[in-house]
């Protein structure tokens, strides 16, 4: 049976179709989910895609967190449903307290769009098992509010528990503390990151590499072997 991975569209989402394509390239079935619908259509995993949900009014992800779909998603994520938040999706996950910390505007106060070098720090999550710890990859990055922040206790906990999933290399593009590009929850089923792996699954787009494809093959293998 083909794994079914839902992709939630909010008003202002930009990368839902790209994310659906990445899922299809990996060999799974993408399922479109609408933010006003609480029904997750019995999907096996969910991706919160990038964009500017509700125009990033109030604060990035702050309004989307209260969309009806999130009521179901929060409960199921806590019960073990794999969830990936990409860029705006990462912001929504922090606003929903499925991941700790928060996102602020880039420290240079400018929108950034570039190919970003990352180091994989945790290859044991549901979304990163097809990587190797210490592996260096290149993933497109595009954001205005990408600066990850948290109190010192939270940062220490993330570091000591190995929950920093990805770290920026070469340069810190937005001032994120500890060069953090992505994190996971304690169970490893929820992962959020600012770069966009869905734009790096085919050699003709994005970085010209396929460094983002293992996100989607990782979850596919986990679901098939579950």
């Amino acid at each position: 049976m083909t794994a079914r991975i839902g992709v939630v569209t909010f008003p202002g989402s930009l990368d839902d179709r790209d994310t659906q394509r990445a899922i299809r390239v990996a060999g799974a079935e993408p399922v479109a989910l609408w933010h006003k619908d609480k029904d997750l259509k019995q999907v096996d995993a969910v991706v919160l895609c990038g964009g500017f949900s509700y125009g990033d009014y109030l604060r990035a992800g702050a309004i989307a967190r209260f969309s009806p779909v999130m009521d179901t998603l929060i409960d199921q994520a806590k019960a073990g449903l794999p969830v990936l938040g990409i860029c705006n999706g990462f912001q929504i996950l922090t606003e929903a307290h499925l991941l700790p910390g928060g996102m602020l505007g880039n420290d240079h106060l400018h929108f950034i769009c570039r190919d970003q070098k990352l180091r994989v720090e945790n290859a044991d999550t549901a979304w990163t098992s097809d990587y190797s710890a210490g592996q260096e990859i290149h993933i497109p990055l595009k954001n205005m509010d990408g600066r990850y922040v948290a109190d010192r206790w939270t940062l220490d906990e993330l570091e000591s528990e190995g929950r920093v999933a990805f770290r920026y290399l070469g340069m810190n593009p937005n001032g994120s503390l500890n060069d953090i590009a992505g994190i996971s929850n304690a169970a490893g089923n929820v992962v959020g990151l600012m770069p966009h792996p869905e734009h790096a699954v085919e050699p003709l787009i994005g970085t010209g590499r396929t460094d983002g494809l293992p996100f989607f093959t990782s979850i596919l293998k986990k679901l098939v072997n579950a």
Side-chain angles (χ1 to χ4, degrees):
M1 182 178 295
T2 302
R4 303 172 73 248
I5 302 178
V7 180
V8 179
T9 299
F10 298 92
S13 294
L14 299 179
D15 298 304
D16 42 355
R17 296 297 179 89
D18 301 78
T19 304
Q20 290 174 27
R21 178 173 177 78
I23 291 168
R24 194 175 293 112
V25 168
E29 177 189 350
V31 178
L33 301 175
W34 183 236
H35 74 110
K36 284 190 175 181
D37 190 353
K38 289 189 175 185
D39 182 8
L40 297 183
K41 301 181 181 179
Q42 297 181 318
V43 295
D44 302 299
V46 171
V47 180
L48 300 179
C49 64
F52 302 90
S53 59
Y54 292 91
D56 278 352
Y57 290 115
L58 181 62
R59 188 173 58 248
I63 301 177
R65 175 262 177 274
F66 291 101
S67 288
V69 72
M70 293 301 297
D71 291 340
T72 308
L73 182 65
I74 290 169
D75 288 342
Q76 293 201 20
K78 290 179 178 178
L81 179 73
V83 178
L84 175 66
I86 302 171
C87 195
N88 190 227
F90 185 12
Q91 295 162 342
I92 295 169
L93 289 177
T94 62
E95 292 290 337
H97 303 298
L98 287 173
L99 291 175
M103 313 301 298
L104 297 179
N106 298 340
D107 60 353
H108 45 71
L109 302 181
H110 294 286
F111 182 85
I112 188 168
C113 183
R114 54 168 283 141
D115 292 342
Q116 179 65 46
K117 189 176 183 180
L118 306 174
R119 182 172 61 240
V120 180
E121 301 284 17
N122 184 345
D124 295 325
T125 78
W127 299 92
T128 61
S129 61
D130 261 3
Y131 292 109
S132 300
Q135 183 177 349
E136 296 182 2
I137 60 177
H138 291 78
I139 302 289
L141 176 74
K142 49 176 186 174
N143 63 71
M144 182 67 190
D145 299 296
R147 177 163 49 117
Y148 180 76
V149 296
D151 59 57
R152 177 51 55 188
W153 185 89
T154 298
L155 289 172
D156 289 345
E157 182 179 58
L158 290 172
E159 298 285 1
S160 65
E161 295 181 0
R163 290 167 53 194
V164 175
F166 298 91
R167 216 180 297 271
Y168 296 116
L169 289 182
M171 67 167 288
N172 186 324
N174 44 38
S176 291
L177 298 180
N178 291 21
D179 298 327
I180 289 174
I183 61 174
S184 76
N185 67 344
N189 64 301
V190 179
V191 172
L193 79 162
M194 288 310 297
H196 287 258
E198 78 279 11
H199 295 324
V201 298
E202 296 176 293
L204 292 179
I205 60 172
T207 61
R209 303 161 60 138
T210 59
D211 290 1
L213 188 58
F215 276 89
F216 306 100
T217 57
S218 293
I219 190 61
L220 180 57
K221 289 180 179 178
K222 177 177 176 57
L223 294 173
V224 169
N225 294 327

